[in-house]
């Protein structure tokens, strides 16, 4: 049997949301020749999965790049089953023409209170291509032993105490927690005896959190960051961050996450796994559209119509003390000094 999964939504978080789909398909069809077509450079995250026969990167996000890469793969393989998470660029028609069976709409009729990845898995179960026993598999990155060891060595250089990885950045400004809130969280973590680690591609953000007492983490590649997060998980660590790809990467590496949600609904985009906590800022927002987030008037501009300064009220509503309590609760809190 030949299976092709086409995930070309474009973002790092999009591929990570698709990981449970891939895992469920692989487990439901052991021995199938499975190919993934996905956006570069995120395809590197699949390099450690020896269950895959091939991973084909798409170098670009426009229709020419997506179709130009996917078409020859599909026309050559003529898969028995093709699944896509993306309904744009003519992909549904391409899959339906080249595959014996194509599933092309995993976004249909979404409930406002069902996690996106679980919804997609449920559709695949209903379509009969995923065994129900795999309907709630977690997103997971498969790391090699040397990558995990390298993550452990880096963690040793940063701290020997209980680590909390902080991810202050987000791909969109509307989803960012204010820096003043981050610095308050750092102060609370230090008092609690935890060691906050600042993870960001932004030198300014790393410097701001370092000034507050956090330990800055040097810029890392995707798999190196996954190795660091996995090593932190083995030492009982935590991560804190918004609805963004790097936090999803930490969660997919096994690190319990405290998710900070504002314009997106935690009930649809929240994190899963043992120890995960999803916090919703300003739940009663009247301009939030849970199942059509890109249509929110604040989405592209980050200008909140409900705040005098136009800063996202939903993110500002997340109190640092509430976040600190979520981070230091449970087994993590029991083991703090």
């Amino acid at each position: 049997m030949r299976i092709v999964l086409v995930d070309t939504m474009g973002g790092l978080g999009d591929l990570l949301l698709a990981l449970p789909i891939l895992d469920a398909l692989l487990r439901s069809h052991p021995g199938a020749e499975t190919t993934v077509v996905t956006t570069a450079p995120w395809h590197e995250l699949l390099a450690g999965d020896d269950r895959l026969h091939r991973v084909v990167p798409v170098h670009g996000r426009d229709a020419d790049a997506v179709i130009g890469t996917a078409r020859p793969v599909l026309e050559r393989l003529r898969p028995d089953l093709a699944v896509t998470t993306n309904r744009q660029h003519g992909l549904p028609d391409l899959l339906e023409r080249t595959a014996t069976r194509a599933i092309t709409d995993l976004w249909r009729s979404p409930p406002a209170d069902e996690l996106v990845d679980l919804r997609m898995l449920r559709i695949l179960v209903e379509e009969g291509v995923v065994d129900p026993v795999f309907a709630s598999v977690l997103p997971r990155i498969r790391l090699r032993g040397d990558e995990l060891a390298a993550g452990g060595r880096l963690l040793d250089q940063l701290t020997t105490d209980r680590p909390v990885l902080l991810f202050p950045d987000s791909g969109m400004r509307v989803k960012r927690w204010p820096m003043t809130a981050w610095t308050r969280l750092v102060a609370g973590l230090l008092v609690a005896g935890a060691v906050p680690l600042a993870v960001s591609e932004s030198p300014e953000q790393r410097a701001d959190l370092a000034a507050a007492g956090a330990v800055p983490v040097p810029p890392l590649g995707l798999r190196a960051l996954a190795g660091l997060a996995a090593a932190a998980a083995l030492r009982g660590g935590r991560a804190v961050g918004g609805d963004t790809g790097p936090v999803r990467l930490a969660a997919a590496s096994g690190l319990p996450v405290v998710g900070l949600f504002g314009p997106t609904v935690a009930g649809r985009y929240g994190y899963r796994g043992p120890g995960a906590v999803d916090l919703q800022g300003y739940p009663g927002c009247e301009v939030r559209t849970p199942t059509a987030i890109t249509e929110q008037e604040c989405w592209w501009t980050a200008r909140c119509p409900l705040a005098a300064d136009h800063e996202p009220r939903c993110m500002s509503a997340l109190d640092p003390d509430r976040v600190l309590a979520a981070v230091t609760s449970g087994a993590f809190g029991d083991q703090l000094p």
Side-chain angles (χ1 to χ4, degrees):
M1 181 177 186
R2 290 180 174 177
I3 299 175
V4 175
L5 172 63
V6 182
D7 176 73
T8 54
M9 297 290 286
L12 169 59
D14 297 311
L15 174 58
L16 293 162
L17 279 170
L19 285 183
I21 297 172
L22 176 60
D23 194 42
L25 288 170
L26 288 166
R27 294 194 194 190
S28 298
H29 305 278
E33 180 184 326
T34 304
T35 298
V36 178
V37 179
T38 193
T39 309
W42 320 132
H43 70 288
E44 297 172 5
L45 292 175
L46 302 179
D49 197 333
D50 56 10
R51 300 172 298 173
L52 298 174
H53 282 67
R54 62 189 66 81
V55 178
V56 181
V58 179
H59 297 283
R61 303 185 183 187
D62 59 14
D64 289 342
V66 171
I67 295 299
T69 303
R71 181 187 288 119
V73 173
L74 288 158
E75 290 181 345
R76 177 169 57 85
L77 294 177
R78 297 288 170 175
D80 301 286
L81 172 64
V83 178
T84 184
T85 57
N86 189 356
R87 288 190 55 79
Q88 298 178 325
H89 308 319
L91 279 172
D93 179 64
L94 174 62
L95 268 63
E96 288 161 5
R97 285 190 290 104
T98 55
T100 302
R101 183 168 185 199
I103 298 176
T104 61
D105 190 1
L106 296 178
W107 295 93
R108 60 180 181 257
S109 305
D113 58 352
E114 185 175 18
L115 292 173
V116 167
D117 56 345
L118 290 179
R119 167 65 176 167
M120 291 181 175
L121 285 171
R122 182 158 67 88
I123 289 174
L124 293 175
V125 169
E126 292 170 354
E127 293 280 357
V129 299
V130 162
D131 190 313
V133 73
F134 304 126
S136 58
V137 292
L138 293 169
R140 281 292 180 262
I141 298 294
R142 294 168 73 94
L143 292 168
R144 302 188 308 270
D146 63 307
E147 292 174 319
L148 182 56
R153 289 193 296 271
L154 175 57
L155 190 57
D156 286 339
Q157 295 172 15
L158 298 168
T159 179
T160 56
D161 295 315
R162 193 56 55 88
V164 179
L165 275 62
L166 306 181
F167 294 85
D169 203 4
S170 178
M172 303 190 69
R173 191 164 67 87
V174 71
K175 295 191 286 186
R176 292 177 191 158
W177 204 32
M179 185 53 65
T180 52
W182 281 109
T183 56
R184 280 183 56 192
L185 177 61
V186 168
L189 288 169
L190 292 171
V191 170
V195 178
L197 306 179
V199 184
S200 174
E201 293 185 355
S202 165
E204 292 79 10
Q205 288 182 337
R206 293 198 303 273
D208 287 345
L209 293 187
V215 178
V217 176
L220 300 172
L222 291 172
R223 296 190 67 84
L225 178 55
L228 176 66
L234 291 175
R235 302 185 194 183
R238 290 286 189 274
V240 183
D243 177 8
T244 186
V247 181
R248 293 198 182 278
L249 178 57
S253 303
L255 190 60
V257 168
V258 175
L260 311 178
F261 292 86
T264 54
V265 175
R268 272 183 56 74
Y269 291 94
Y271 299 104
R272 295 193 288 131
V277 179
D278 297 319
L279 302 178
Q280 184 73 61
Y282 193 40
C285 175
E286 53 264 44
V287 300
R288 186 184 289 119
T289 53
T291 62
I293 55 177
T294 62
E295 297 176 12
Q296 294 172 180
E297 60 181 288
C298 60
W299 186 255
W300 301 109
T301 66
R303 289 178 58 83
C304 177
L306 306 178
D309 60 1
H310 298 296
E311 291 301 313
R313 180 175 177 180
C314 53
M315 296 304 296
S316 299
L318 288 162
D319 183 71
D321 290 337
R322 180 186 176 201
V323 177
L324 178 64
V327 176
T328 57
S329 64
F332 182 88
D334 293 342
Q335 297 179 49
L336 289 172

